[in-house]
Short mmCIF file of all heavy atoms in Angstrom, two decimals:
data_model
loop_
_atom_site.label_atom_id
_atom_site.label_comp_id
_atom_site.label_asym_id
_atom_site.label_seq_id
_atom_site.Cartn_x
_atom_site.Cartn_y
_atom_site.Cartn_z
N ALA A 75 8.38 21.02 -3.61
CA ALA A 75 8.78 21.94 -2.54
C ALA A 75 9.97 21.42 -1.74
O ALA A 75 10.56 22.19 -0.98
CB ALA A 75 7.59 22.18 -1.61
N TRP A 87 5.99 0.24 -8.36
CA TRP A 87 6.08 1.53 -9.05
C TRP A 87 6.08 1.20 -10.54
O TRP A 87 7.08 0.83 -11.11
CB TRP A 87 7.34 2.28 -8.68
CG TRP A 87 7.35 3.72 -9.14
CD1 TRP A 87 7.04 4.20 -10.38
CD2 TRP A 87 7.71 4.88 -8.36
NE1 TRP A 87 7.17 5.56 -10.43
CE2 TRP A 87 7.58 6.00 -9.20
CE3 TRP A 87 8.14 5.06 -7.04
CZ2 TRP A 87 7.87 7.30 -8.76
CZ3 TRP A 87 8.42 6.34 -6.61
CH2 TRP A 87 8.28 7.45 -7.46
N TYR A 118 8.62 -6.54 -8.38
CA TYR A 118 8.01 -5.72 -9.42
C TYR A 118 9.04 -4.84 -10.15
O TYR A 118 8.69 -4.14 -11.09
CB TYR A 118 6.89 -4.85 -8.85
CG TYR A 118 5.59 -5.61 -8.72
CD1 TYR A 118 5.20 -6.16 -7.51
CD2 TYR A 118 4.77 -5.82 -9.83
CE1 TYR A 118 4.01 -6.88 -7.40
CE2 TYR A 118 3.59 -6.53 -9.72
CZ TYR A 118 3.21 -7.06 -8.50
OH TYR A 118 2.03 -7.77 -8.40
N ASN A 141 15.26 -7.58 -1.08
CA ASN A 141 15.11 -9.04 -1.23
C ASN A 141 15.23 -9.44 -2.70
O ASN A 141 14.35 -10.11 -3.25
CB ASN A 141 13.78 -9.51 -0.64
CG ASN A 141 13.79 -11.00 -0.31
OD1 ASN A 141 14.85 -11.63 -0.27
ND2 ASN A 141 12.62 -11.57 -0.08
N PRO A 339 -9.06 -14.36 8.04
CA PRO A 339 -8.67 -14.12 9.44
C PRO A 339 -7.90 -15.26 10.09
O PRO A 339 -7.17 -15.03 11.06
CB PRO A 339 -10.01 -13.91 10.14
CG PRO A 339 -11.01 -14.63 9.29
CD PRO A 339 -10.51 -14.47 7.88
#
Side-chain angles (χ1 to χ4, degrees):
W87 191 313
Y118 278 98
N141 201 14

